[in-house]
Amino acid sequence: MNQLFYGDNLDVLRNKIKDDTVDLCYIDPPFNSKRNYFQIYNNVGKEDAAQAQAFIDTWTWNQFAESGFADILTNQHDYTTQTIELIKGLRAVLGVGGLLAYLISMTQRINEIWRVLKPTGSFYLHCDPTCSHYLKLILDSVFCPRGGDFRNEITWKRTNNPKGSQFKDRKYGVYTDAIFFYTKSTNYTFNLERIRQPLTPEELLEKYPKTDERGRYLEYPILRSASKGPRPNLVYEYKDFTPPQWGWVVKREKLEAIDQRGDLGWRKNGMPYRKYRPTEDRGAPIGNLWDDIIRIQSKSKETMGYPTQKPEALLERIIQASSNEGDLILDAYCGCGTTVAVAQRLNRQWIGIDITYQSIALILERFEKQFGVEITNSIVLNGIPRDMESAHALANKQDDRLRKEFEKWAVLTYTKNRATINDKKGADKGVDGVAYIVTGQKTTDKVIIQVKSGKVQRGDIAKLRGDMAREQAVMAIFITLEEPTKSMREEAMAAGIYHHQLLNRAYPCIQLVTGREMIEAGRRSDLPLNLDVLNSAAPVNTSQQSDLLQKN
C-alpha cells in the first residue's frame, strides 16, 4: 500500500509509521546554501518565519527549537546517551541559533528514522558541505551505539559548472554533494552487482586490446590457479591438452561451448586461454565517487520546475543497491516525488511525506502523467481534508508556517492540480491561485482563484470583480468554507457569462464554490484548464519545508 502523508514529518514518523517496517529511507532535507558559513556559525541575520519558503533554507532558533532541545535532553523519545551528550556539547560550542536549531531538528527526525527501519534496513542522507560534518556526528550517535554502522560517504559530482564566482568568493567552486550511507545492523540488503557502471568506449578499447574475426577480446585464464589447490574432477584431456592437477576452470561441456563459439584460444607455447568479450562485461563496480549522474538540466524531460529536484538515475542507483522488489521505501522530505516515483517504477512499496500541499499535488500530477490515473487513484492520501471538521482545522491553523496550506489545498484540489499558487510575499491582492483556460492550440484565457475560510459577504464578490479587471482575467473562482449569501450569488450572476467557443459552452464569469461541495459532493472544475500549467510555471516557491526543520 503506497501512501502520501501531508504534514509535519516528525509527527508522521512518530504517530503513523510502526517500528521496524521500512527497508530503505532516503532523505534530501533543506540545505542552508543561501547563507554563507560565517552567517550560519555566528547566527548573523534574521528571517521572518511567516515568509518561509519551501526552497529557501531558513533556520531560526525559536520555541520549536527550544522544545526539541528539551525533548532530547529529557530523553522523551529513546535517544542514545551519545546523542544526548552530543547535543549538549553542540549547544555549549555553537550557542543557540539557526545552526543548532537545524541540528536539533535533524536529530529528532534521524532518531525516528532509525526506529522505523527494519534491522536489515539502510539509510541515505543527502546534504551539502555546509553541515555535513555535524550531521555525520549525529548519525554516528544515533546508529553506531545500537549496532548500526557508517558504510560510506558518497560524493555526488552533480555539476561541472558550479553557481557563483569562485574568484569573487575567493574559494574553490562547489561541485559536489555528500550522501551518507548508514545501516541499522551488519546484516543489511546490498546489491552492488545491480549497479555496475558501463565502461566508456575508450575504456572498452583499453580493456579489450586484441581482435579476431569475432571482434575485440581480452585474454583470460581458462586454467585454475595452483593457489586454489588440486581439483581432480576438472582434470581432463581436451584437444590433446591435459592441464596440471589444478584443472580447468569449467567442466568439459562448458569448455566445449566456449570453443564452439570461438572463444577458446591457444598460445604458441600450446597453453590455452579464454577470449573474454566486451558483450560479457558487466561494467565497473560503483565506488563512492558518483560522477556519471548530472543534475537535471532545465530542458530535461524529467524537469518539473522544482528547484531541488534530483535526477531519477540517482535514486534508481540507491534503491537498486539497497532494496529488493516489494520492499518499503520511505522519503520523509519527498518534495516533487522523485524517490517515490522511482520506487513505483521499480516495483517497491513506498511512503512519502511533505509539509506543503503543493508538493503533494505535484506528486499526484507526476504520477498521473507517468503511471496513469488508476495507479494515482490507488495512492492512500493522509492529512488531506476529508470532512468539514478537518477542513476547518486546516484553515484555522495558528502556526504561521501552515496558514496558507488550506488555500493551496482548495486551489489545487478544485482545479485538479491545474493551477499555480500565488506565493508572493505580502498581500496577495485577492489572488490565491491562477489557472488558464485552453482556447486554442497556443492560446489561453486567464482565471484567478480566491479562497476564503472565514466570514464572507457581498462586498467580497464586488471586490473580486475589480480584481478580475486588474488581472485581465476572463473568469474568477471564489472558494469559501462558509455558505455564500443570496446577495453574493446575485452579485456573481451580475458579472456575466463567459462563452468558450471551441466547446460551445457557457460558464459564469464568477463561480462560487463551497468547501462542503468539494468535500462531500466531490465538486471539481469542469473548465478545460491547461494540463501543463505546473510544468510551464516559474519554479515552485511554496512554503514551509525549511521551517519544518524547527517543528516538532
Side-chain angles (χ1 to χ4, degrees):
M1 181 172 62
N2 300 322
Q3 301 187 72
L4 273 179
F5 285 90
Y6 168 38
D8 175 2
N9 59 12
L10 184 59
D11 177 65
V12 173
L13 286 165
R14 285 179 173 172
N15 298 304
K16 303 296 183 181
I17 304 179
K18 296 180 180 179
D19 296 2
D20 304 325
T21 54
V22 173
D23 294 284
L24 166 65
C25 177
Y26 165 89
I27 63 171
D28 178 22
F31 306 161
N32 205 337
S33 53
K34 297 294 182 181
R35 297 171 63 198
N36 67 46
Y37 193 77
F38 177 84
Q39 290 175 315
I40 296 168
Y41 190 88
N42 293 289
N43 302 315
V44 176
K46 296 181 179 179
E47 289 82 13
D48 178 6
Q51 300 294 344
Q53 299 171 356
F55 313 109
I56 297 178
D57 306 316
T58 305
W59 303 346
T60 306
W61 184 268
N62 54 22
Q63 72 271 26
F64 301 108
E66 194 68 65
S67 175
F69 181 74
D71 170 63
I72 295 170
L73 256 64
T74 56
N75 203 11
Q76 296 296 309
H77 291 91
D78 193 26
Y79 297 97
T80 66
T81 301
Q82 291 86 341
T83 297
I84 295 170
E85 293 302 317
L86 174 63
I87 294 302
K88 286 168 61 177
L90 287 174
R91 181 161 184 164
V93 172
L94 301 175
V96 297
L99 178 55
L100 184 63
Y102 173 76
L103 297 175
I104 286 171
S105 173
M106 290 306 302
T107 299
Q108 292 178 288
R109 286 156 177 81
I110 291 170
N111 195 61
E112 294 303 321
I113 287 168
W114 176 89
R115 177 185 60 78
V116 303
L117 282 175
K118 289 180 179 177
T120 54
S122 299
F123 178 44
Y124 290 77
L125 189 153
H126 191 142
C127 58
D128 75 352
T130 308
C131 283
S132 58
H133 46 304
Y134 291 118
L135 290 172
K136 188 177 186 304
L137 286 172
I138 292 169
L139 288 162
D140 284 345
S141 77
V142 172
F143 278 80
C144 297
R146 294 158 160 164
D149 208 350
F150 165 70
R151 299 298 167 189
N152 284 108
E153 178 179 346
I154 298 162
T155 299
W156 176 39
K157 185 182 178 184
R158 52 185 167 75
T159 181
N160 292 318
N161 300 292
K163 291 183 178 180
S165 170
Q166 61 195 78
F167 301 103
K168 179 181 177 181
D169 296 337
R170 302 187 68 195
K171 64 178 184 179
Y172 300 110
V174 179
Y175 293 77
T176 64
D177 287 346
I179 304 174
F180 291 119
F181 170 31
Y182 279 74
T183 60
K184 194 169 181 177
S185 71
T186 56
N187 179 28
Y188 56 96
T189 300
F190 193 60
N191 307 299
L192 190 60
E193 289 300 310
R194 291 183 188 165
I195 58 169
R196 285 178 170 267
Q197 185 174 350
L199 299 181
T200 66
E202 293 77 14
E203 290 170 331
L204 286 171
L205 288 175
E206 182 179 355
K207 184 173 180 179
Y208 299 91
K210 298 191 175 184
T211 59
D212 63 8
E213 64 278 2
R214 293 192 64 228
R216 305 194 73 85
Y217 69 90
L218 164 71
E219 289 189 6
Y220 204 76
I222 195 68
L223 301 179
R224 297 179 74 249
S225 168
S227 63
K228 295 183 178 181
R231 281 291 299 273
N233 65 317
L234 292 177
V235 178
Y236 53 86
E237 181 185 350
Y238 186 75
K239 290 191 173 180
D240 298 326
F241 178 85
T242 302
Q245 58 183 322
W246 332 119
W248 301 90
V249 297
V250 294
K251 294 182 179 180
R252 180 183 293 274
E253 295 79 10
K254 190 167 184 180
L255 182 64
E256 290 174 348
I258 291 172
D259 192 13
Q260 287 173 6
R261 66 173 182 258
D263 288 342
L264 183 64
W266 299 87
R267 296 189 180 92
K268 291 181 179 180
N269 62 2
M271 296 298 290
Y273 62 89
R274 180 180 177 179
K275 296 180 180 180
Y276 193 69
R277 307 284 180 179
T279 53
E280 302 176 80
D281 201 303
R282 294 176 297 165
I286 298 294
N288 70 334
L289 173 60
W290 294 2
D291 58 0
D292 58 320
I293 300 173
I294 302 298
R295 69 183 180 189
I296 292 178
Q297 305 300 309
S298 59
K299 295 183 179 180
S300 168
K301 291 181 179 180
E302 287 185 38
T303 188
M304 301 184 70
Y306 198 93
T308 60
Q309 182 181 355
K310 299 300 183 290
E312 288 197 6
L314 182 70
L315 274 302
E316 179 169 348
R317 179 170 293 175
I318 290 171
I319 291 172
Q320 289 279 31
S322 291
S323 72
N324 298 310
E325 287 195 10
D327 282 355
L328 179 60
I329 314 300
L330 167 66
D331 187 344
Y333 297 85
C334 63
C336 66
T338 300
T339 303
V340 297
V342 174
Q344 177 73 36
R345 176 163 56 81
L346 297 178
N347 298 316
R348 272 67 167 173
Q349 301 179 77
W350 54 264
I351 295 173
I353 311 170
D354 205 276
I355 197 172
T356 67
Y357 185 75
Q358 197 156 354
S359 287
I360 301 299
L362 197 58
I363 293 169
L364 295 175
E365 179 80 7
R366 178 178 193 159
F367 266 69
E368 184 174 339
K369 288 183 177 181
Q370 194 167 344
F371 303 107
V373 175
E374 185 175 348
I375 294 295
T376 306
N377 290 342
S378 70
I379 298 171
V380 177
L381 300 176
N382 300 276
I384 309 300
R386 297 182 181 276
D387 52 37
M388 291 303 294
E389 182 180 358
S390 58
H392 278 285
L394 179 61
N396 295 318
K397 290 280 187 183
Q398 296 300 310
D399 192 335
D400 280 340
R401 298 169 300 177
L402 298 173
R403 63 181 180 175
K404 289 184 71 67
E405 289 305 304
F406 171 75
E407 296 172 8
K408 295 173 184 177
W409 167 80
V411 169
L412 296 172
T413 299
Y414 182 70
T415 63
K416 294 179 286 190
N417 302 326
R418 288 161 171 80
T420 54
I421 300 297
N422 179 15
D423 235 355
K424 296 179 181 178
K425 294 183 178 181
D428 58 21
K429 296 183 178 180
V431 179
D432 296 311
V434 176
Y436 292 90
I437 301 171
V438 177
T439 58
Q441 189 172 0
K442 295 184 178 181
T443 58
T444 57
D445 281 340
K446 186 176 183 179
V447 179
I448 62 172
I449 306 163
Q450 186 177 112
V451 181
K452 294 288 187 182
S453 58
K455 186 177 180 180
V456 291
Q457 55 189 351
R458 178 183 176 279
D460 294 325
I461 306 303
K463 183 178 181 300
L464 186 58
R465 294 179 68 175
D467 296 334
M468 287 175 59
R470 184 191 68 245
E471 297 292 329
Q472 297 182 326
V474 300
M475 187 181 297
I477 299 170
F478 187 86
I479 302 175
T480 171
L481 269 185
E482 303 298 326
E483 289 295 321
T485 64
K486 180 180 178 181
S487 61
M488 289 174 65
R489 295 186 183 279
E490 291 172 347
E491 184 71 26
M493 290 179 62
I497 298 295
Y498 169 82
H499 186 76
H500 193 284
Q501 293 185 350
L502 288 179
L503 298 181
N504 194 26
R505 288 187 60 180
Y507 299 90
C509 285
I510 294 182
Q511 297 188 15
L512 301 184
V513 181
T514 68
R516 188 174 299 279
E517 289 173 323
M518 290 175 57
I519 293 170
E520 297 181 359
R523 182 179 174 184
R524 300 292 185 267
S525 172
D526 60 352
L527 294 167
L529 298 178
N530 187 355
L531 180 63
D532 295 322
V533 66
L534 287 177
N535 283 0
S536 61
V540 179
N541 193 15
T542 55
S543 60
Q544 304 83 1
Q545 183 143 348
S546 58
D547 265 13
L548 170 60
L549 298 171
Q550 296 129 22
K551 186 172 174 59
N552 62 75

